[in-house]
Amino acid sequence: MKRSAPLAPADGLIALAFAAAYVALLLATAGDLGYARDEGFYFFAANRYGAWFQALLDAPRAALDPQIVDAAWSVNHEHPGLIKSLFALSNLVLQKRLGLFALEGTSYRFPAMVLSGVGVALVYLWGTQARDRLAGASAAALFAMLPRYFYQAHLACFDAPIVTVWALCAYAYWRSLRDGGALWPVLTGVAFGLALDTKHNSWFLPIVCVSHAVGMEVRDRIVARASAAGAAPAAAAASPARAGGARRPLAALAAMATIGPLVFYALWPWIWRDTLPRLREYASFHLNHEYYNMEFLGRNYWTPPMPRAYAPVMTAATVPLVTLCLFAAGLCAAARERLLHPLACAAARLAPEGGRLARAAERALAARLRPPADDPGGTALLWFLAIAAVYGAWLSSSTPIFGGTKHWMTAYPFIALFAGAAFSAAVRRARVGLRALLLVRRGSGARAGVATRAAALARGPLVPALLGAAVVAAPIAETLHAHPWALSSYTPLVGGAPGAANLGLNRTFWGYTTGAVVAYLNEHVPPRGTVYIHDTAGPAWEMLLRDGRLRKDIRGVGAVAGADFALYHHEKHMLGQAYQAWVAFGTTSPDHIAGPDGVPVILVYRNRAR
């Protein structure tokens, strides 16, 4: 891997372009995406928060009364308040005052879209600074074009925002190691506080940072001992123990332990009173979370033991294969550079002087391994730990699987960063190979001129452009093809959506696919007709009405009996809902079926008797 380099002024503009392009794409594709069940709950909470913000402007003293604060902020206190506050402010200011969005639901979704764009920009900046611009750009593109992340990035939920804020905290911590000074430790603490006030995934961040700090300390001590024992300079280059290196991680960790909780407290009014009991209640909710149903390989899971293979299998089934292959290549390259090289050096030092083992080790080092570049930030180790800590939760058979891939999405930026590093290395090798090939094919005549032209071609933009197009083509195609069915999307590795359905992988959840049948309902539901909305939350259905996507006279009801139409969102544990429609309507044949690539995901039954 290449040595980290400072960012150029142009990199800020490129990062901004990545963010703007991603937000524009999200906005352009939001109009045909139904509202997820959880979004409906957050719309309601955001409205209560928005009313409090308005009261705070109108009568600050009255709004800060503890009873008024509790009345507003006790709504949906199972989750922190930061992101729902942004939903509320976006709707209050951007929609109700400025009228910027054609659909009111988009105003609630907009903050998560912006944070998702920031996440893509952050991946570019980190990859560029840690490796090079090509690594950063490819990592950002591969991260943005993850089908399920692309879906989550649209939603007025916390799952895409926590990915960005989580990565931001890790990046600030990395910068505190790399650059020193007081600024980056402080920013690490602030970012951790924002993560705490975003989602409970933030609880993994101290595990990652403390583990990384310990690993760096152990590394520095080993290298220091090796240097004192007369180790070769190449071995010492594996990890230079810089002056004050032990203090920088401690400064960032101290900021996380002090500044982080203060930011968390300041931004969540619900914990301003009875702080410790309410924090215990919040933690208990997630540590003892109830189990919901999820189908995996044809079996419905709703109580432990949960399948330990769920996270790796679902990752392989939903992340584009080229991204996974590049990630594996980048991870192996980092292990070879950061782990095997020091081990080989140690083996050479421990072998008897002049012995065959020492000579063999030295030859292996010279032939196969290069000394790693100076990396005071321990970049590869941090990226690896960020992935391992998140996926490690699924080593327990008691970890719930009901959220699907969204529960480990905080690992995806780091998977993309490893992939970007591998892509950059592949381009470098391709350029060397292209130059050699051109020299051979042109023959020995006029070798100097041929060498000049070959070198110019190899250094130019053609090689990375062609390879980059080949790499991102499949992720782009898979992501855009999956919309708006992303929770039903699977990669060709498992046969796409049809293959996954045959394997018994979950087709959908959250009731968001109602958005895919609004045109049918608008056409076929009679005036003031009723629709059993099944898995769609009431507030999510109401938002479709407020947006004007559904006719205002269509009424959603909570029982299939007596309804004119019934929705059925296919999940294995919900088959009884389809049976109820068959009995109530006297038919087993749906009037309308929708889903990706011929896979039934949402079915609409019609009560012919009415």
Side-chain angles (χ1 to χ4, degrees), residues 152-170:
Q152 296 286 347
H154 289 84
L155 304 186
C157 290
F158 319 130
D159 304 292
I162 189 58
V163 171
T164 295
V165 184
W166 210 98
L168 179 63
C169 181

Side-chain angles (χ1 to χ4, degrees), residues 50-103:
W52 184 82
F53 286 131
Q54 187 62 57
L56 188 63
L57 291 175
D58 298 337
R61 186 181 298 273
L64 292 173
D65 180 89
Q67 293 185 344
I68 300 299
V69 171
D70 283 354
W73 291 88
S74 61
V75 177
N76 192 238
H77 61 262
E78 298 88 353
H79 300 284
L82 175 61
I83 304 303
K84 286 174 287 185
S85 298
L86 297 179
F87 299 161
L89 292 172
S90 176
N91 176 255
L92 195 64
V93 177
L94 301 183
Q95 181 66 18
K96 292 181 178 177
R97 295 191 180 181
L98 301 178
L100 296 184
F101 303 103
L103 303 177

Side-chain angles (χ1 to χ4, degrees), residues 514-543:
T514 299
V517 296
V518 291
Y520 168 86
L521 296 176
N522 286 332
E523 180 180 354
H524 293 279
V525 176
R528 295 191 55 79
T530 55
V531 178
Y532 171 57
I533 62 177
H534 185 199
D535 201 33
T536 304
W541 175 270
E542 291 297 324
M543 188 58 70

Side-chain angles (χ1 to χ4, degrees), residues 327-353:
F327 158 66
L331 183 62
C332 290
R336 175 181 174 181
E337 183 178 83
R338 296 288 166 186
L339 183 61
L340 295 184
H341 181 273
L343 289 177
C345 288
R349 290 197 306 273
L350 293 174
E353 185 174 355

Side-chain angles (χ1 to χ4, degrees), residues 35-46 76 79 84 87 151-152 155-159 199 289 292 402-403 406-407 509-512 535-540:
Y35 296 109
R37 183 172 65 249
D38 286 13
E39 284 188 288
F41 306 146
Y42 305 148
F43 294 154
F44 179 76
N76 192 238
H79 300 284
K84 286 174 287 185
F87 299 161
Y151 164 73
Q152 296 286 347
L155 304 186
C157 290
F158 319 130
D159 304 292
K199 200 176 180 186
H289 201 291
Y292 301 139
F402 61 81
K406 74 186 185 78
H407 281 168
F509 62 95
W510 268 2
Y512 74 100
D535 201 33
T536 304

